[in-house]
Amino acid sequence: MAIVSIPEPEKDIKLGISACLMGQKVRYDGGHKRSSFCMNTLSQYFHFEPVCPEVAIGLGTPREPIRLAGDIKQVRVVGTDHPDRDVTDQLTDYGNKKAKELTDICGYILMQKSPSCGMERVKVYHKNGTPSGVSSPGAYAKALIEEQPLLPVEEEGRLHDPVLRENFFTRVYAYHRWHNEVLKNPSHAAVVHFHSVHKYMLMAHNPSDYTALGRLVAEGGKMQLEPYLDQYFKEFMNTLKKRANRKSHTNTMLHIMGYVKKTVDTKERNQFLKLVEEYRQGIVPLVAPMTMLRHFIENNGNEYIQEQTYLHPHPDQLGLRNQI
């Protein structure tokens, strides 16, 4: 019996990543925080661009640890043992610099709880070293995100949540498609096509935004191209940042089923509706009804519905819809 070989995934997307997550010994104690998920799974699908901002600004390895301190309105990054050593400006400047350099990445995975790389909820301390009870982003991460606000960014720890993980990679692949399919040869027509194939993805994430973006596209021909591109992509990425839920996925799948319901026999249609209801109730994961729906669309759908990225937002091998 012949063995069917599965082709290697194409690694055509680059992600920024905290270097310690790759196993690089750049932590303050000379160690690392190697992520098995990043290195054993994601490395098969993505090129990584590792960055350690603390090493990059000249802090040695090993080194005195740093932390966030001060008033929440003016958080500083200072030495734990020598609070007069302030590296806030260096980390902020480096974040701005890397954000301008890393124009070819489609997402960024940060190390959680880090005073430089933490995306959110990093503890802020009083000057005397006691926790203040408030939190803030790390200085490097804050500058990076402010400079590239539409770039998909997530912390490694949060990627262990199936819903956050699926949302992040949905955004990563959509970000990549925009840059490849629209920005390489920008035009009003390119935006119309991009919007057309993402309609049901937008519906699943936020029906109101889906409607608003439809109006923007309808009026887009009257706008100058560059501001139109900027406005559309900003609203598009902000919509995808809103997490789809069981209710919105259910509604979207039923809408798509409407394209092929006359070509699917009653028994199969009822099986599908049963799966959708079980998904809505949390009994089965999204992959169960989605697999059946994709089968119907592949066999009987027209070109418009077959092109919908909602049906294939990211590689199946990642298994991102198997646990949501």
Side-chain angles (χ1 to χ4, degrees), residues 178 181-182 185-199 202 213-222 225 228-229 232 236 304 307-308:
W178 173 263
E181 299 170 13
V182 178
N185 190 18
S187 67
H188 289 86
V191 178
V192 170
H193 181 262
F194 182 86
H195 179 74
S196 175
V197 300
H198 286 85
K199 277 187 175 181
L202 292 165
L213 274 163
R215 288 196 295 266
L216 175 60
V217 171
E219 297 293 321
K222 302 175 184 177
L225 182 58
Y228 174 47
L229 293 172
Y232 178 86
F236 175 84
Y304 166 74
E307 286 187 335
Q308 289 300 308

Side-chain angles (χ1 to χ4, degrees), residues 119-274:
M119 184 181 80
E120 58 182 36
R121 299 193 306 276
V122 182
K123 285 184 180 180
V124 178
Y125 292 81
H126 291 299
K127 290 182 178 179
N128 63 9
T130 60
S132 66
V134 298
S135 62
S136 173
Y140 169 81
K142 184 174 184 289
L144 176 81
I145 292 168
E146 288 178 352
E147 188 68 34
Q148 287 206 46
L150 302 183
L151 179 72
V153 177
E154 193 52 273
E155 292 181 335
E156 193 275 342
R158 284 165 49 96
L159 291 179
H160 296 281
D161 179 307
V163 174
L164 296 179
R165 182 169 64 239
E166 198 274 339
N167 177 270
F168 174 67
F169 287 106
T170 293
R171 288 185 285 134
V172 165
Y173 279 92
Y175 192 97
H176 176 70
R177 285 191 294 271
W178 173 263
H179 284 77
N180 262 26
E181 299 170 13
V182 178
L183 294 191
K184 282 190 175 179
N185 190 18
S187 67
H188 289 86
V191 178
V192 170
H193 181 262
F194 182 86
H195 179 74
S196 175
V197 300
H198 286 85
K199 277 187 175 181
Y200 284 101
M201 179 183 288
L202 292 165
M203 178 185 286
H205 283 260
N206 190 279
S208 297
D209 288 358
Y210 157 79
T211 302
L213 274 163
R215 288 196 295 266
L216 175 60
V217 171
E219 297 293 321
K222 302 175 184 177
M223 299 174 62
Q224 292 185 347
L225 182 58
E226 189 169 338
Y228 174 47
L229 293 172
D230 291 344
Q231 183 178 347
Y232 178 86
F233 190 54
K234 178 181 179 181
E235 294 185 21
F236 175 84
M237 291 304 296
N238 286 337
T239 298
L240 294 194
K241 202 168 186 179
K242 299 173 183 177
R243 297 190 288 274
N245 54 43
R246 291 184 181 273
K247 180 180 178 182
S248 62
H249 276 306
T250 296
N251 178 58
T252 302
M253 287 189 288
L254 294 177
H255 268 83
I256 293 175
M257 183 61 184
Y259 284 86
V260 294
K261 64 181 180 181
K262 293 182 180 179
T263 60
V264 176
D265 67 45
T266 302
K267 182 179 179 181
E268 285 188 313
R269 187 164 63 250
N270 288 339
Q271 287 176 336
F272 170 71
L273 294 175
K274 180 175 180 291

